[in-house]
């Protein structure tokens, strides 16, 4: 249990450490929080389970509820991931279509002999290099989708962005700094496949987070609002006690 | 005569296909460097988000690097 000194406005600290320690020892203790972290985390998990009813086991899911065996770089020891979100799988269709065309492209060389002027060995190497390109394109596209995630834990919201091969940006906001959560869903495709953009406004350094093309935006908004409510209740209970 | 010596001698004779071969080899060398960066990228990404697909993705990136190296060797030998 730590010792605390309650300072008032205008107080000046001029004493050395032993004096401060003696003063702290004699000062009235600041009351502890009314609910411990374990109880709060259980409440958060209950909120999510009540809303969704099950845990996601699919590692490729764009909407993972209480994902199993998943952790992130700055995760604290007891912090639990509540939701792991990616862009809806349908956003991958463009690059998948391009991949199919690229795979079929060498077959059109029979009808359009673009490489006829090259010796046979050069033609062969060109086709091999082409398919290697296709593999790299698929890998890059998949990595870009898989690792650009939005993480909601029982304590904060994290946005992980990989912009290029070696540039990453990780933004986060504590749940109690979130001020407003809203979502938008426009167009036939978004309505049909139930995905949209969730906008989170915060009181932190980054004023706004946008979760683009995420599945079930209404439910995400609902869960975030419930988590915010829980944080508000925590603050009120802390003040009252 | 080794492939390198043969390539160098062809260059001296200003053989167009030797120049083309050199161009392809340089290109593939750059591509191998890109494949190395890709492996590094996957390592970086899996360090940020540790999930169930980390091992397969690392293996795939490594396989891509090995493939790039093999294509380089193939180009060196058959061109």
């Amino acid at each position: 249990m730590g010792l605390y000194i309650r300072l008032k406005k205008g107080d000046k600290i001029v004493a050395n450490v032993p004096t401060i320690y003696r003063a702290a020892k004699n000062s009235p203790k600041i009351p502890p929080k009314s609910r411990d972290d374990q109880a709060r985390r259980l409440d958060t998990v209950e909120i999510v389970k009540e809303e969704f009813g099950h845990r996601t086991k699919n590692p490729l899911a764009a909407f993972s509820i209480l994902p199993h065996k998943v952790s992130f770089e700055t995760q604290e020891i007891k912090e639990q991931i509540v939701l792991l979100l990616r862009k809806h799988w349908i956003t991958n269709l463009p690059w998948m279509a391009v991949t199919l065309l690229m795979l079929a492209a060498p077959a059109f060389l029979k009808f359009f002999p673009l490489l006829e002027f090259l010796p046979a060995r050069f033609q062969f190497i060109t086709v091999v290099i082409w398919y290697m390109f296709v593999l790299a394109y698929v890998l890059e596209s998949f990595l870009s989708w898989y690792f650009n995630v939005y993480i909601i834990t029982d304590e904060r919201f994290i946005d992980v962005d990989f912009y290029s091969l070696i540039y990453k940006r990780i933004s986060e906001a504590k749940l109690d700094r979130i001020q407003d959560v809203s979502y938008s869903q426009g167009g036939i495709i978004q309505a049909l496949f139930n995905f949209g953009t969730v906008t989170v406004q915060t009181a932190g350094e980054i004023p706004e987070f946008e979760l683009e093309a995420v599945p079930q935006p209404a439910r995400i908004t609902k869960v975030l609002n419930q988590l915010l409510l829980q944080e508000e209740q925590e603050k009120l209970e802390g003040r009252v006690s | 005569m080794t492939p390198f010596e043969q390539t160098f001698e062809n260059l001296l004779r200003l053989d167009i296909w030797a120049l083309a071969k050199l161009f392809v080899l340089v290109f593939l060398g750059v591509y191998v460097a890109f494949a190395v960066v890709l492996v590094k990228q996957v390592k970086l990404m899996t360090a940020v988000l540790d999930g169930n697909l980390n091992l397969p993705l690392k293996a795939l990136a490594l396989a891509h690097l090995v493939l790039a190296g093999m294509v380089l060797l193939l180009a060196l030998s058959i061109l």
Side-chain angles (χ1 to χ4, degrees):
Chain A
M1 194 176 191
L3 295 173
Y4 306 92
I5 300 172
R6 198 185 290 275
L7 295 173
K8 293 172 214 160
K9 191 178 173 182
D11 282 352
K12 288 180 189 173
I13 300 174
V14 294
N16 57 19
V17 173
T19 312
I20 293 171
Y21 178 78
R22 273 195 297 274
K25 208 174 161 189
N26 298 328
S27 69
K29 310 286 187 291
I30 295 172
K33 286 180 84 169
S34 57
R35 298 169 68 218
D36 61 5
D37 283 346
Q38 182 72 7
R40 185 175 55 76
R41 287 198 169 88
L42 284 172
D43 279 353
T44 307
V45 170
E46 285 307 314
I47 287 172
V48 173
K49 278 185 178 171
E50 197 183 311
E51 177 61 30
F52 301 107
H54 63 276
R55 176 183 271 226
T56 307
K57 290 176 186 174
N58 180 6
L60 293 174
F63 192 99
S64 288
I65 306 151
L66 301 170
H68 188 53
K69 286 187 184 175
V70 175
S71 62
F72 59 96
E73 199 176 30
T74 56
Q75 186 173 3
E76 291 171 19
I77 296 168
K78 290 184 182 176
E79 191 175 6
Q80 187 171 15
I81 297 175
V82 169
L83 287 177
L84 178 74
L85 306 165
R86 297 184 177 95
K87 286 187 178 178
H88 196 280
W89 62 265
I90 206 163
T91 58
N92 293 319
L93 280 185
W95 69 259
M96 285 180 177
V98 169
T99 301
L100 285 174
L101 286 172
M102 286 171 80
L103 285 171
F108 287 98
L109 289 175
K110 284 182 187 172
F111 307 102
F112 303 100
L114 299 168
L115 303 179
E116 278 290 305
F117 67 98
L118 292 172
R121 60 190 194 276
F122 277 92
Q123 288 185 32
F124 173 71
I125 278 295
T126 304
V127 172
V128 170
I129 290 172
W130 177 260
Y131 281 119
M132 209 165 56
F133 267 154
V134 174
L135 178 62
Y137 176 70
V138 167
L139 199 53
E140 277 293 323
S141 302
F142 178 77
L143 290 173
S144 175
W145 174 78
Y146 185 78
F147 284 104
N148 279 295
V149 296
Y150 310 100
I151 301 170
I152 300 171
T153 74
D154 49 5
E155 289 179 19
R156 50 191 168 144
F157 165 81
I158 300 121
D159 180 6
V160 179
D161 289 313
F162 286 95
Y163 292 107
S164 67
L165 284 179
I166 49 174
Y167 180 70
K168 71 176 180 187
R169 182 181 176 185
I170 299 173
S171 319
E172 64 172 66
K174 294 252 180 218
L175 287 182
D176 58 5
R177 304 284 279 176
I178 294 175
Q179 292 176 323
D180 186 50
V181 183
S182 58
Y183 77 94
S184 61
Q185 206 173 25
I188 299 170
I189 306 291
Q190 289 196 1
L192 202 62
F193 292 96
N194 193 18
F195 69 96
T197 301
V198 176
T199 306
V200 179
Q201 289 180 345
T202 73
E205 192 183 321
I206 300 167
E208 195 174 272
F209 289 89
E210 272 203 351
L211 290 73
E212 294 178 352
V214 286
Q216 305 180 57
R219 282 178 124 180
I220 295 169
T221 307
K222 187 178 175 185
V223 166
L224 275 172
N225 280 324
Q226 284 174 331
L227 291 174
L228 289 182
L229 204 63
Q230 187 194 11
E231 289 291 319
E232 289 287 321
Q233 284 173 341
E234 287 283 319
K235 277 184 193 172
L236 284 170
E237 282 170 10
R239 280 187 210 137
V240 167
S241 303
Chain B
M1 214 183 257
T2 64
F4 287 109
E5 286 170 348
Q6 205 167 10
T7 309
F8 188 69
E9 206 172 286
N10 287 337
L11 268 174
L12 290 175
R13 287 188 214 146
L14 288 174
D15 183 3
I16 188 77
W17 296 118
L19 282 171
K21 179 178 177 178
L22 183 68
F23 173 77
V24 170
L25 290 176
V26 167
F27 175 79
L28 285 173
V30 171
Y31 191 86
V32 167
F34 162 76
V36 170
V37 173
L38 189 61
V39 169
K40 182 77 185 169
Q41 181 195 14
V42 171
K43 232 179 183 179
L44 190 81
M45 285 174 157
T46 52
V48 170
L49 185 70
D50 191 7
N52 297 313
L53 287 185
N54 284 7
L55 214 57
L57 287 173
K58 281 178 184 173
L60 199 57
L62 215 58
H64 175 256
L65 174 61
V66 169
L67 179 69
M70 283 169 60
V71 170
L72 177 64
L73 291 172
L74 182 71
L76 191 63
S77 59
I78 72 167
L79 289 181

